[in-house]
Amino acid sequence: MSSEIGETGKAGIVVASEDAAPAEKLAHSLVDDLLYNVVHDLLLKVHRDEKIARANTAAIKVEKLAKSTNADPKPDVEIETDAAIYKDGRVTLKSNPLKSTKEILCSKCHLPRLLHPTDGKGAKKPDPGVIYCKKHPYIDKQGYDIYGQTWVAPGPGRGKKKKDQKLDPNDPSSPATGLEGSAKDRPANVLSYPSATCPKCKRCILVTRLNNHMGSCIGNSGRNASRAAAQKISNGSNAGSQNNDNTPPGSQKGTPRPSSRAPSPRKRDGDEFDEDAEDSDTTSNHNAAVKKKKFKPSNNKLTKVILKAKSPAIAGNTKKEAKAKGSSSLNVEQKASNDSKTNGNHNAKDTSTVEVAPKKQAPKSGNAGGGNNASPAKKIKLGSSKPPLSSSAAGGKKGGIKRDRDVESESSGTVPSPPPR
Amino acid sequence: MSARPTTPASPRNFKVKAPQAGQPMYGCEHLQRLFNQDQVTTNTSIQHYRAILRSIYDTNPLVPQTAKAGEGVVVTTLTPTYLCLQCPSTLTEEERTRHGGKKSHRFYVDSRSGALYCQMCDDIVWDPTFEEMRLKKIGTGTFSNRKRKHEEMFETSDPVRDNPTYLSSNTTAASCKSNGLRGIYNAGATCYQNVVLQGFIHNPILRNFYLSDGHPSGSCQVPYCLSCAMDDMFQDFYALETTNGYTAASILSGFWFSDRKAFENLVATKEQDAHEFFQFLAEELHERNGDGKKPETASEHMCQCIIHQTFYGKLESATTCQNCGGVTRQIQSFLDLSLPLENLGHKKGKKGSQQRTSLTLQECLDEEYIKQDKCEYRCTNCSSTQQARRQTSIKLLPNVLSIQLKRFEYKQGRNERAAKIDTPVHFPLELNMLPYTNRGAATRAQDGNTNGNTTNGTNGINGVNGSGASKPENFELARTCTYDLLSVVVHVGEIDTGHYVTYCRVGDQWFAFNDHRVELAQKSDVLNAKPYLLFYVVRSLS
């Protein structure tokens, strides 16, 4: 189609040699023309976006000026800027907006747009004195997302290596998450896993465990459901033997996670919550236990807590504890972060707070009555109706293993935790 | 092309677009002068501009690409030419300057884009009035106001949009920061859900539906309604400033609570097939929003629900009996097109004597919707089982075309097992579906009769297939069959374990979604991916 004369097309980049055959010359000029078109189309697109944005900026500016100079917006004001004229309520351009207008105002909020990303490729430092429109250029940086956020790399196997409990307080998707996550000790742009509430049992589950949890909590319809029901009933009748019945039918079927496969009920329950424990310093196992404890809502008195009852109860702290436990939906992650933060203070606080944990347990043990013997696992089964049980179970597990430590850590953990909302 | 003001004596007076806040009224001072001369000038300018756009978009590109290059020399070029707005000349770039000096014609239209060039500015000018016409022409093919503009299909549609005060007083403007770009946390092997959900989130039709309160989640009584969950998700994505991942708890629970038997095996904590989840989600949402009838796969059932309007098209298969020549036609609706890769890959491999070759999407489509296959069927005329030829083509194209490439095949034989086909399949950013429709087939037959040329099925982006193509209707037809790539779902890993990631386009920018991670993606990243699911959106929504 091209009848360009000469060895090349319009772009003049793909050039055939002088002694090339005619077909070769034609091919070169075709490719060159196509290259020109590609660049032309690209340029036109960018030009359009940029010029319209600048023209609108000029219009916004002059309109603003018109409004500010005249209290009541009469249309007969006439305002002139370098780029535009406001007259009779209309805006007309004065010259090419690409030349006359240097910045771009957002057409929605009328704030200047940040024109360069703040990080990564092509980054420039924004002027700290300017309030920019919230729409920022996307960041292109290895290991970071478009908002400059980064992630905690998942460790080998399940769970995350590092503690990543920082919550975004704005996250609406996880209403259960606490608002005042203490994130001061880690960079603000590290994303973490939030928790969400299971709509059925209302328990607060870390998002990475959510699917497994729902599998066991909601589970399949039909055969499995009836089987689960039957299991529950049998569990209820013989409270003493929990070990075999612990795994919910759903997870029996096909959960890939090691946690769900665990034969002992206690372990399973623990897993549901110990994600955060793992996240927090691995060295401090007891911390994890503490967190779990917090989960217990005040209403579940029959839970493992009893195990801890051994430690002497101190009345003074009870109140506090109850408060902390009041809401079943406390956020796992938040607590974890608190824990980590408070680790340093740990010892100091221990003395004062240690008492808290035992104290709480005392009343619980009373309620539980003969429940002391019951293993945590059993309770969980019963607990489909009682959401908070699992947490208690988890605590119980820990308690069973190392009670003494638990007590200490528990107290330390609980004190700093913010009151539930 | 409708309501075309053919006669210059047409009493219709064209108006310049009404002034809007935050936008200058004219593209430049010179256009302002042109429009303010008198009504006649305005009328002719706008009429000429329309005629030029028509010649650019509705005729053979040879016409606008052929220009005067000087005294008596006429060239046809690949590169842009300039069509004078004030007279019927088409000029090359060099000649344009001379023409301007001689005749004082100052405005020209770029032949490749329809953009207006002002010689006095020496720059392309984006005038609100002209630009609106251009976008309408690109988007819908007409200048009529009834249809939505190309750009506005990406805004929420509202019947009372014309009244700006109504809109501003009844809507809460989302923050400039909220743009629908968020990851979705993996809730434990749920990446197959995340990729499909991201595809839905960035689907402009579904987005408009949910953001314009299409599903009344406030009054919905269905417990654990998936459509309500979708509604929540759209709100969270497009109304909040949050930039971290989304926790799709309500979707997940709706999924677990669903009693849809056909997808019972999906309800497991294992890794699943994203395509199955897509089907599940589509049918579930259809049930929540539609006529309540269960969709039957082999029927022609169409309902007015958002899912049917978005994803469903119709296939027509014509079976021709080889004995009596009788044709049986069967029509069924489809949610997606499933394209087998294995046979084609083998065939190609033999031909080219290569072990692993790559395929193109068009080749796969050719195989299914252009070529005929043989089958046995019971002919009612002959009342016996006969050999027959069957040809399947698309009768009705959906607004969002979803294509599944069958990468997971169940191998039969001694050691039965499922295997993944890793053959790369090249797919275009812009897909012309005309050849695979029954109208495309008809055009092909026509062309075949006149030209003896039937091989043209795959190459046309603008659908210029031989002789019939110069008619405007064919350009119109081709335009309605042009699709733009919207999202790509990619499976990495093996058949039994792996990971799904997805690429979605927002405006012109591509993003890579990997669970809760959102990163910028280049077109080359997208096009080099090995697709499993492809979503194309029709270019002109009408």
Side-chain angles (χ1 to χ4, degrees), chain A residues 365-388:
Chain A
S365 66
N367 289 338
N372 259 345
N373 301 333
S375 85
K378 176 204 175 177
K379 276 154 190 185
I380 290 165
K381 284 286 151 158
L382 299 173
S384 59
S385 58
K386 298 182 178 184

Side-chain angles (χ1 to χ4, degrees), chain B residues 517-538:
Chain B
R517 307 167 192 212
V518 187
E519 288 167 280
L520 286 172
Q522 303 296 318
K523 272 180 190 162
S524 57
D525 300 337
V526 178
L527 292 176
N528 283 326
K530 284 182 188 168
Y532 175 50
L533 299 178
L534 292 165
F535 293 93
Y536 282 91
V537 64
V538 71

Side-chain angles (χ1 to χ4, degrees), chain A residues 1-4 10 30 33-34 36-37 40-41 44-45 47-48 51-52 55-56 59-60 63 89-96 98 106 108-109 133-135 138-141 143-147 149 151 154 168 170-174 191-194 196-197 199-200 207-212 214-215 218-221 253-257, chain B residues 19-29 32 62 75-80 82 93-94 110 112-113 115 121 123-126 131 134-135 151 173-177 179 181-182 185-190 224 236 240-249 252-253 256-257 261 264 267-270 508-509 511 516-520 522-523:
Chain A
M1 273 211 327
S2 167
S3 58
E4 293 286 328
K10 202 165 179 180
L30 273 177
D33 271 355
L34 291 176
Y36 179 90
N37 281 350
H40 175 84
D41 292 351
L44 204 66
K45 198 178 268 177
H47 181 271
R48 177 179 185 271
K51 194 166 181 183
I52 291 181
N56 290 351
I60 292 166
E63 277 171 8
R90 296 177 172 195
V91 178
T92 50
L93 293 173
K94 263 174 74 183
S95 63
N96 193 331
L98 287 177
C106 172
K108 226 156 136 193
C109 63
C133 167
K134 281 177 180 165
K135 185 182 166 74
Y138 300 119
I139 289 168
D140 189 2
K141 187 179 179 188
Y144 291 81
D145 76 354
I146 53 169
Y147 302 109
Q149 303 165 129
W151 315 277
D168 188 331
N170 299 327
D171 187 358
S173 57
S174 53
L191 285 187
S192 63
Y193 290 93
T197 312
K200 188 170 184 192
V207 63
T208 50
R209 321 274 320 149
L210 202 60
N211 194 28
N212 276 340
M214 286 187 184
I218 301 167
N220 275 339
S221 56
K253 202 173 138 204
T255 325
R257 306 255 167 182
Chain B
Q20 291 190 335
Q23 193 179 311
M25 214 171 146
Y26 307 102
C28 70
E29 307 150 89
Q32 180 187 353
L62 276 173
V75 298
T76 302
T77 171
L78 288 172
T79 51
Y82 293 88
E93 195 172 347
E94 300 76 31
D110 176 288
R112 285 180 51 81
S113 60
C121 295
D123 198 6
I124 301 276
V125 171
W126 307 100
E131 190 59 7
R134 192 178 75 95
L135 292 177
E151 284 212 323
S175 153
C176 303
K177 197 175 180 182
N179 49 11
L181 291 166
R182 288 176 70 183
Y185 282 111
N186 192 328
T190 58
Y224 306 112
D236 274 9
L240 300 173
E241 286 188 11
T242 325
T243 53
N244 69 350
Y246 175 74
T247 310
L252 196 59
S253 62
W256 277 100
F257 276 116
K261 286 284 179 281
E264 211 171 25
V267 180
T269 43
K270 283 190 238 164
D508 285 325
Q509 177 65 54
F511 295 91
H516 55 284
R517 307 167 192 212
V518 187
E519 288 167 280
L520 286 172
Q522 303 296 318
K523 272 180 190 162

Side-chain angles (χ1 to χ4, degrees), chain B residues 2 73 129 136 148 157 160 184 194 304 326 337 351 359 374 386 402 426 445 472 479 494 510:
Chain B
S2 62
V73 184
T129 311
K136 263 187 208 160
R148 280 193 255 174
S157 71
V160 279
I184 304 177
N194 292 351
Q304 288 305 302
L337 303 177
K351 219 186 279 172
L359 294 168
K374 282 185 190 153
Q386 295 290 341
S402 31
H426 298 294
R479 186 167 24 233
E494 292 307 307
W510 283 90

Side-chain angles (χ1 to χ4, degrees), chain B residues 319-328 377 379 382 386-389:
Chain B
T319 316
T320 313
C321 175
Q322 295 298 84
N323 189 32
C324 66
V327 179
T328 319
Y377 99 121
C379 179
C382 315
Q386 295 290 341
Q387 289 287 319
R389 298 186 74 83

Side-chain angles (χ1 to χ4, degrees), chain B residues 306-326:
Chain B
I306 182 66
I307 293 298
H308 272 78
Q309 282 181 26
T310 308
F311 291 110
Y312 278 81
K314 283 181 194 169
L315 280 176
E316 177 179 280
S317 57
T319 316
T320 313
C321 175
Q322 295 298 84
N323 189 32
C324 66

